[in-house]
Amino acid sequence: MSGNVPTARRVARAVRLGPRAAVALGLVTVIGVMAFGWPLLAAPGSGVAHSGDAPWLFAALLPLLLAVVVAAIADGGLDAKAVAMLGVLAAAGAALRPLGAGTAGIEPMFFLMVLAGRVLGPGFGFVLGAVSMFASALLTGGVGPWLPFQMLAMGWVSGGAGLLPGARSLRGTRELLVLAGYGVVAALAYGTVMNLQGWPYIGGLSTGVSYVPGDALGANLTRFLAYCLATSLGWDLPRAALTAVLSLTLGPAVLKALRRATRRAAFEPEVSFTVRETLPVPGEEEGAER
């Protein structure tokens, strides 16, 4: 007879963020931060407008996203099943976005990006957010100089959910509250960074919230805060509230479905160790002595 003593198992993720994928993802993030923030440091009379640098950012972003995927494959974290799930979730996110069409900040795709990033990890989440935004732009005709910035921002939203604590142990109501709280912060942050992308367009209008190239960083940040409060808060708050409500109400079912799909697909083999205890069979010892 024998007995098995199970031990803790490792959580399976669709994309394991290995060292090469982490480096590629870090490079994308650094480039994104520079792309969003460099107008604040521009010289006077530079004619800052993101319509000029957006094509370059888009040209850099696509190879870097591909680099994240290739690095994940090289690290052994991405296979055909993970790519298939990426396609399904990106299609679902792209289909959810037109339901609100951005009206008063009603954007239901945010809650799906947060939950998917939570279950499937930061690497998968970042790629999912960027690809979903790209697909939704093609679906809704929203292709423009803002698209690469939207892809980066949504990638950060979904990837950040994969970095939340308690991936192995936190479940139930506490996990839903954490995800709802993160959804509120992420939705507000998304609106803020996208404001930073569009704000330089109004430079030179000589208003109290206008962007002034070459002005002191503190002065521009003060005007930027006033710009956010005056123009986008009415969209950002409903987006944050909807994300929290959907996470609390639909979260249990969606998390369960995502975890079941990940477990059945066996993206990453679960490693478990057992201790086998063998008990002597009556008569064996006597036969061995003879």
Side-chain angles (χ1 to χ4, degrees), residues 25-253:
L25 189 55
L27 184 59
V28 173
T29 298
V30 170
I31 291 177
V33 171
M34 293 173 60
F36 275 105
W38 75 266
L40 294 174
L41 306 176
S46 59
V48 172
H50 276 309
S51 58
D53 61 89
W56 295 103
L57 176 61
F58 191 74
L61 178 61
L62 289 184
L64 287 173
L65 283 176
L66 181 60
V68 173
V69 175
V70 172
I73 294 174
D75 289 335
L78 186 65
D79 57 12
K81 292 177 288 187
V83 172
M85 179 168 280
L86 175 65
V88 170
L89 291 175
L96 282 174
R97 192 180 181 206
L99 295 181
T103 304
I106 306 300
E107 297 183 77
M109 75 176 294
F110 272 75
F111 100 98
L112 179 61
M113 297 296 103
V114 170
L115 298 185
R118 167 66 170 179
V119 173
L120 297 168
F124 188 100
F126 182 87
V127 177
L128 172 63
V131 172
S132 298
M133 190 58 72
F134 179 73
S136 68
L138 296 179
L139 184 64
T140 60
V143 178
W146 53 83
L147 178 56
F149 298 93
Q150 289 178 327
M151 292 171 63
L152 276 169
M154 186 58 74
W156 289 335
V157 167
S158 188
L163 298 175
L164 292 174
R168 293 177 173 84
S169 58
L170 196 62
R171 294 292 184 270
T173 303
R174 289 188 303 165
E175 182 181 35
L176 293 176
L177 291 175
V178 169
L179 291 175
Y182 173 80
V184 169
V185 173
L188 294 174
Y190 176 88
T192 301
V193 297
M194 287 308 301
N195 284 340
L196 187 58
Q197 175 268 328
W199 184 48
Y201 284 116
I202 67 171
L205 296 184
S206 300
T207 67
V209 297
S210 296
Y211 167 69
V212 180
D215 203 359
L217 179 62
N220 262 332
L221 287 177
T222 300
R223 283 190 288 269
F224 175 66
L225 178 60
Y227 172 78
C228 292
L229 294 175
T231 61
S232 69
L233 198 60
W235 276 262
D236 296 341
L237 288 177
R239 181 195 300 122
L242 179 66
T243 303
V245 169
L246 292 179
S247 298
L248 292 172
T249 55
L250 302 181

